[in-house]
Amino acid sequence: MRNVVTLQPARRLPAVLAFVLLLAACGGGGSSGKLASPTTTVAAPSNVYPLTGLPIDDAAKAIRPAVSIKIENEPPARPQSGLQDADVVYETLIEGGDTRFVAIFQSTDAEPAGSIRSVRPTDPDIVAPIGGLFAYSGGTPKFIDALHAVPVVDVGQSTHEAAYFNRSDKSGDHKLFSSTERLYAAGQGSTAKAPPPIFTFVKSGAAFEGAGIVPATHVDAVVGNQKLSWEWNSGKGWLRSINGRPHTVEGGEQIAATNVIVQSVAWLPSDGDVDTAGSQVYVAQMVGSGDVLVASDGKVVKGKWSKPSTNAITTYTDAAGKPIALKPGRTWIELSGNDQAPTVR
């Protein structure tokens, strides 16, 4: 278990993040912040879901907001629930070399989803362009204030306790779960809207391509101390393993993704923040640019990522500077350190 403590008083949030923060009642009393629309948009046809590019099969889901859930990845929490259903999953570093997920749902539901844990300082940059609802359990006031400074609706446990439940078959800090149904109910009455497209997708039936594309059956990456492997399976997509073992969810299914993005970022110490064991808290530098590897359809394209501001969508371009278009489906983003370059074989 890793609980974060703040050693220094929280600094005031930059005005560019906080000047338009609005607080509004939400379900059980949460808050919502509303900033300007994302500064970068990706064109997408209106007949597909914005986060997956797959054809819309439920008109109500297509217009609902996204819900982002913080799901932990420490060994006692495995197998998790819900990860296999998310439209998009970000894997991020926490203290001690462990990782945690931001699992984002819109076109699908999860019952249950968890184990659910606390907010971290990288989360606002991830969810600001997507908006919607944000589900978590706890965090320092400094990190929660940063979350409230971006356009998401807080449906965390502290203000929406009825949306969460504990499972007796889980131990310690790994008991807390919810579901997308419960979280959407908690967010009723908010001003949250459907997310914008955050990726470019190929047209239906078109091939995944890009400058310098090469075939690949394995992509190996590292986030913190976690050694990750994605193996191509033509019938299921990219199958995920962690530290040499297949990463499965409850029920035994191995996690699979249509697209895997390994986004190289600088992980810097979060000033004054350590957990109760004294381990440093880190924050990803997601505003800027860097190297990226994109895997889809048994092939890999290397290029660059770019995100000019917190509210902007991250764009991915190949060696020729053209947008990398993904195959429609679920996407995982590994926020790997700049010194942890992925390998392909």
Side-chain angles (χ1 to χ4, degrees), residues 164-183:
Y164 296 79
F165 59 93
N166 287 299
R167 286 178 43 175
S168 60
D169 59 327
K170 296 287 186 177
S171 62
D173 290 333
H174 317 295
K175 297 179 178 181
L176 192 68
F177 284 73
S178 186
S179 68
T180 51
E181 181 181 5
R182 288 167 176 253
L183 295 169

Side-chain angles (χ1 to χ4, degrees), residues 66-85:
V67 55
S68 300
I69 306 176
K70 283 304 296 287
I71 296 180
E72 68 167 315
N73 192 36
E74 294 181 42
R78 300 181 202 139
Q80 297 97 334
S81 181
L83 285 176
Q84 76 281 12
D85 298 314

Side-chain angles (χ1 to χ4, degrees), residues 8-28:
Q8 297 180 0
R11 296 180 178 179
R12 292 186 63 186
L13 291 170
V16 70
L17 291 178
F19 78 103
V20 287
L21 178 62
L22 300 176
L23 297 179
C26 166

Side-chain angles (χ1 to χ4, degrees), residues 40-341:
T40 305
T41 58
V42 179
S46 59
N47 61 340
V48 300
Y49 287 109
L51 300 183
T52 66
L54 294 170
I56 293 172
D57 57 2
D58 186 325
K61 290 180 179 178
I63 62 173
R64 69 182 182 178
V67 55
S68 300
I69 306 176
K70 283 304 296 287
I71 296 180
E72 68 167 315
N73 192 36
E74 294 181 42
R78 300 181 202 139
Q80 297 97 334
S81 181
L83 285 176
Q84 76 281 12
D85 298 314
D87 290 346
V88 181
V89 178
Y90 286 83
E91 184 165 16
T92 68
L93 172 67
I94 60 167
E95 308 77 57
D98 290 325
T99 64
R100 195 164 289 177
F101 304 111
V102 179
I104 304 168
F105 302 81
Q106 195 245 357
S107 71
T108 56
D109 288 298
E111 174 62 68
S115 303
I116 296 176
R117 294 296 295 275
S118 56
V119 67
R120 287 295 184 274
T122 299
D123 299 337
D125 277 327
I126 292 175
V127 298
I130 299 167
L133 316 179
F134 190 87
Y136 66 102
S137 174
T140 67
K142 176 180 177 180
F143 298 162
I144 294 174
D145 286 347
L147 179 69
H148 287 171
V150 300
V152 296
V153 175
D154 185 331
V155 291
Q157 184 197 20
S158 63
T159 53
H160 295 80
E161 189 171 359
Y164 296 79
F165 59 93
N166 287 299
R167 286 178 43 175
S168 60
D169 59 327
K170 296 287 186 177
S171 62
D173 290 333
H174 317 295
K175 297 179 178 181
L176 192 68
F177 284 73
S178 186
S179 68
T180 51
E181 181 181 5
R182 288 167 176 253
L183 295 169
Y184 277 120
Q188 282 184 350
S190 77
T191 59
K193 298 179 181 179
I198 61 173
F199 305 117
T200 300
F201 292 102
V202 302
K203 294 181 179 179
S204 179
F208 174 66
E209 56 188 19
I213 193 167
V214 296
T217 56
H218 289 79
V219 174
D220 296 315
V222 177
V223 180
N225 294 338
Q226 308 307 304
K227 296 181 180 179
L228 313 170
S229 178
W230 293 89
E231 181 179 1
W232 173 246
N233 179 298
S234 60
K236 298 181 179 180
W238 295 96
L239 297 175
R240 175 182 163 93
S241 294
I242 182 168
N243 298 323
R245 296 184 177 182
H247 190 171
T248 60
V249 293
E250 290 186 321
E253 178 184 358
Q254 187 173 2
I255 292 171
T258 306
N259 309 291
V260 177
I261 297 174
V262 183
Q263 182 175 334
S264 297
V265 299
W267 282 97
L268 300 182
S270 180
D271 189 19
D273 298 313
V274 297
D275 69 6
T276 51
S279 297
Q280 177 65 54
V281 177
Y282 289 87
V283 56
Q285 305 304 291
M286 294 191 67
V287 175
S289 60
D291 294 333
V292 71
L293 179 151
V294 180
S296 188
D297 203 23
K299 292 167 280 189
V300 164
V301 173
K302 293 183 179 180
K304 297 291 183 180
W305 64 267
S306 178
K307 180 179 169 73
S309 67
T310 293
N311 251 32
I313 292 166
T314 302
T315 58
Y316 304 97
T317 54
D318 64 17
K322 295 182 179 180
I324 301 173
L326 308 180
K327 296 286 285 188
R330 293 185 172 89
T331 301
W332 277 60
I333 299 97
E334 307 287 4
L335 294 180
S336 186
N338 282 333
D339 59 347
Q340 300 172 316

